[in-house]
């Protein structure tokens, strides 16, 4: 697991939040996968460009929620299982609006990219691996939301 990695993970997260917040991560997200843009529709309005999407209050609110999920995971490194139920329900919500499980790996890539940009040399292979593990654990719990849907639904 992540034993021994808690401190580096926490300080990396603190540095990222302090320096940038999450918005630049989202620009990166749409660079990596432009097909994700149509998933962010608020009031049935399609965005013409990532920039347009990135500047809406609804999207910024969504980003804040994403930040809170990662923040919760970072706070509960010792006991991620207490977030299982919450993450599973979150998975169901994403599934309901047509998000594919694969999209989460793009989000993870964006996150690692941002951490690397923010921390530079301090983002060592060890810290990177610890973050990958943490993010995978979050996604795995969310994936259960996809898998627990009743048949024929």
């Amino acid at each position: 697991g992540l034993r021994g990695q808690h401190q580096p993970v926490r300080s990396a997260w603190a540095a990222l939040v302090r320096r940038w917040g999450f918005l630049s991560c989202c620009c990166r997200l749409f660079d990596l996968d432009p097909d994700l843009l149509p998933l962010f529709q608020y009031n049935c309005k399609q965005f013409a460009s990532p920039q347009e999407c990135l500047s809406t209050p609804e999207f910024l609110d969504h980003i804040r929620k994403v930040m809170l999920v990662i923040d919760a995971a970072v706070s509960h490194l010792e006991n991620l299982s207490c977030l299982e139920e919450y993450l599973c329900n979150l998975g169901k919500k994403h599934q309901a609006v047509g998000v594919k499980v694969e999209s989460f790996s793009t989000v993870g890539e964006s996150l690692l990219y941002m951490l690397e940009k923010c921390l530079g040399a301090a983002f060592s292979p060890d810290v990177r691996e610890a973050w990958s593990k943490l993010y995978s654990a979050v996604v795995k719990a969310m994936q259960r939301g996809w898998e627990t849907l009743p048949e024929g639904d």
Side-chain angles (χ1 to χ4, degrees):
L2 286 164
R3 214 162 285 300
Q5 292 287 15
H6 296 169
Q7 203 36 58
V9 165
R10 290 201 167 115
S11 34
W13 178 242
L16 180 65
V17 173
R18 242 195 342 267
R19 178 139 171 219
W20 270 322
F22 215 60
L23 208 51
S24 17
C25 185
C26 300
C27 302
R28 176 69 181 161
L29 182 61
F30 294 130
D31 287 346
L32 289 169
D33 190 354
D35 294 345
L36 291 176
L37 192 58
L39 290 171
F40 295 99
Q41 287 177 41
Y42 304 103
N43 314 324
C44 306
K45 182 173 153 320
Q46 274 272 223
F47 296 111
S49 69
Q51 285 63 37
E52 198 188 329
C53 180
L54 291 165
S55 59
T56 62
E58 294 91 346
F59 185 75
L60 295 173
D61 193 49
H62 192 131
I63 297 313
R64 225 188 47 248
K65 289 178 184 152
V66 175
M67 290 288 275
L68 288 170
V69 172
I70 296 174
D71 201 56
V74 171
S75 310
H76 293 85
L77 285 170
E78 289 81 5
N79 182 20
L80 277 176
S81 56
C82 70
L83 296 174
E84 285 269 315
E85 189 68 18
Y86 166 68
L87 292 170
C88 180
N89 288 327
L90 202 58
K92 285 188 184 130
K93 281 186 193 163
H94 281 79
Q95 207 254 4
V97 294
V99 176
K100 292 184 171 57
V101 173
E102 299 75 65
S103 301
F104 288 111
S105 61
T106 313
V107 175
E109 259 175 74
S110 304
L111 179 62
L112 290 172
Y113 171 81
M114 286 313 305
L115 284 160
E116 193 172 350
K117 277 263 173 276
C118 177
L119 296 164
F123 196 55
S124 65
D126 282 357
V127 178
R128 187 190 176 89
E129 192 191 340
W131 266 99
S132 293
K133 279 184 187 161
L134 174 62
Y135 186 76
S136 301
V138 169
V139 171
K140 207 165 163 190
M142 283 179 74
Q143 269 176 335
R144 288 184 39 237
W146 267 257
E147 289 150 14
T148 56
L149 284 168
E151 285 299 311
D153 194 23

